Amino acid sequence: FPRLALTASAIALLVAVFGLLYFKGRIENWLRGEEFRGLVSKKTSELLGVDAQFDRIRWEGSGAYSDRFTGRGIRPGAPESLTALRIRSEFNWRRMLSGFWSLGEIRVGYLEAAFPIPGVARATAPDVPSSEPAPVSAAQSPPPFFLAWLPTRFETGPVIVEKADLSAGEATLSSTTIESRAEGAGWLLDFRGGALSAPGLPDFTLASARVRIAGDGVYLIDSSALTQ
């Protein structure tokens, strides 16, 4: 009987190990596939009020990278057009057990965004398809019971934009650095450096500024002196 129990335990352990390896392999395939790219694009678009999508997401260990996130605004106050390049972050696998897709600090190499002018109708922009469309393969999808187990909530660390060019009509803020983080139901953005230009005004250099975005409102909290 002890030998039989030992054999049964060994078989159960092997089944568990192979089950975990199978589960890990299917999840990894799904994370590299179109379904996960579509899910991340949808959640990010909802957060920013845009209709946009990521190019193919590539993984190296727990690090995720995409060449581009691009699209157009669909919500008041959202950018009319948005292009982010060289996006990378680290994925926290442990937070999956708590029901979250969790990303640490997100770094964006370059951001270009055009914002609407209040009182001016939003321009209609054509859909921006991904540069790397690919059909969804059944091999990329975990079985249905795995999908039901996967997290549905997202959380991120601070978002750091290494260089950004922003515009609203003919007014522009170019070559600025942005660090943003969630604060309550809104976002807090810190700007560092950049050239500010607007029609009828001399050009200025911005040292720093802090802006809060809450709902459809944008509020300037603090700014340093502008220099010509």
Side-chain angles (χ1 to χ4, degrees):
F1 181 78
R3 183 175 298 177
L4 180 62
L6 183 61
T7 301
S9 298
I11 293 174
L13 179 60
L14 286 174
V15 169
V17 169
F18 280 114
L20 287 173
L21 291 175
Y22 172 79
F23 172 80
K24 182 175 181 293
R26 295 301 294 267
I27 290 297
E28 287 180 347
N29 286 337
W30 185 74
L31 289 173
R32 288 169 170 78
E34 290 299 292
E35 289 184 58
F36 181 72
R37 181 171 75 94
L39 176 63
V40 173
S41 296
K42 178 175 181 290
K43 293 297 184 181
T44 306
S45 294
E46 289 174 354
L47 177 66
L48 299 176
V50 299
D51 179 13
Q53 54 186 315
F54 285 95
D55 278 3
R56 182 170 62 93
I57 297 174
R58 300 191 293 275
W59 292 84
E60 184 174 338
S62 61
Y65 178 88
S66 182
D67 288 321
R68 186 176 69 155
F69 176 74
T70 185
R72 56 185 176 84
I74 57 175
R75 194 170 67 199
E80 286 187 332
S81 63
L82 172 73
T83 299
L85 304 178
R86 303 184 299 279
I87 307 128
R88 55 195 183 276
S89 185
E90 291 290 323
F91 186 74
N92 186 341
W93 294 97
R94 293 183 179 179
R95 289 291 287 160
M96 286 186 70
L97 301 177
S98 300
F100 287 91
W101 296 110
S102 180
L103 293 172
E105 178 184 275
I106 299 173
R107 298 195 74 91
V108 178
Y110 176 72
L111 172 68
E112 182 179 90
F115 291 86
I117 301 174
V120 178
R122 180 184 295 275
T124 301
D127 291 337
V128 183
S130 166
S131 63
E132 299 183 54
V136 176
S137 166
Q140 293 173 336
S141 303
F145 66 89
F146 281 166
L147 290 175
W149 174 83
L150 292 175
T152 57
R153 294 173 290 176
F154 280 76
E155 63 180 13
T156 70
V159 180
I160 297 175
V161 180
E162 296 169 1
K163 180 182 178 182
D165 291 329
L166 312 177
S167 65
E170 296 183 34
T172 62
L173 174 60
S174 58
S175 299
T176 189
T177 298
I178 307 171
E179 181 174 345
S180 64
R181 61 183 183 276
E183 185 181 75
W187 285 80
L188 197 63
L189 286 74
D190 286 308
F191 294 82
R192 297 274 186 261
L196 185 61
S197 175
L201 296 175
D203 293 343
F204 291 94
T205 298
L206 175 69
S208 66
R210 173 166 288 185
V211 172
R212 177 173 168 77
I213 300 176
D216 294 333
V218 179
Y219 309 95
L220 178 64
I221 298 175
D222 184 32
S223 65
S224 64
L226 299 173
T227 58
Q228 288 186 253

